[in-house]
Amino acid sequence: MPQSPNICPTLVYADAKAAVRQLTDAFGFTVHAMYENEDGSVAHAELVHGNGMVMLGSRGTGSEFDRLMRDAGPAGVFVHVDDVDAHHARAAGQGAEIVTAPADQDYGSRDYMARDLEGNIWSFGTYAPGAAGSS
């Protein structure tokens, strides 16, 4: 990863190891770093996709972040991909819950959405936030 992203979604999971498996196997992320607590829970993980990153950890660690996120609901994360249909086929092939099929949008993007094992919504599409004439 050439340059660290300025914004990283950060999520907590009851089963962070299962989340890491799904994000890598079904959604194509790569583990950049993963640190475990003595009990085997995930203290902190960084997963990359292109030049973006998401950070995550296990719920119930007792950290300040964990305490503040205790009552937080699911989140939504957008990930730019070049080939939506191939990405969708990979995710579906790994058993990911697809909530919207790949479709062309009025604003020029092609995208689909999936729900992860703990209810977060992941959108994958050709839209490139911040790029002139994104599609």
Side-chain angles (χ1 to χ4, degrees):
M1 187 162 181
Q3 180 179 357
S4 295
N6 290 335
I7 299 173
C8 295
T10 306
L11 305 167
V12 291
Y13 289 90
D15 189 343
K17 287 184 178 178
V20 168
R21 282 191 302 276
Q22 182 182 41
L23 292 173
T24 56
D25 295 348
F27 298 153
F29 282 77
T30 301
V31 175
H32 179 70
M34 184 150 60
Y35 308 98
E36 294 183 18
N37 294 311
E38 288 181 17
D39 66 359
S41 62
V42 177
H44 177 77
E46 299 173 358
L47 282 68
V48 296
H49 193 288
N51 65 354
M53 177 182 288
V54 62
M55 297 186 297
L56 62 92
S58 295
R59 212 177 272 288
T61 62
S63 72
E64 184 68 9
F65 185 75
D66 177 53
R67 186 183 66 75
L68 292 169
M69 292 292 289
R70 180 176 24 241
D71 295 323
V77 180
F78 175 81
V79 180
H80 172 87
V81 296
D82 292 325
D83 187 338
V84 171
D85 296 292
H87 193 276
H88 170 265
R90 175 185 179 152
Q94 288 290 323
E97 180 186 351
I98 307 300
V99 295
T100 64
D104 295 326
Q105 304 301 324
D106 292 342
Y107 49 88
S109 181
R110 180 165 180 77
D111 56 38
Y112 80 97
M113 289 187 280
R115 186 182 326 271
D116 73 16
L117 298 172
E118 295 193 20
N120 299 298
I121 299 297
W122 291 80
S123 301
F124 300 93
T126 57
Y127 178 74
S134 295
S135 63

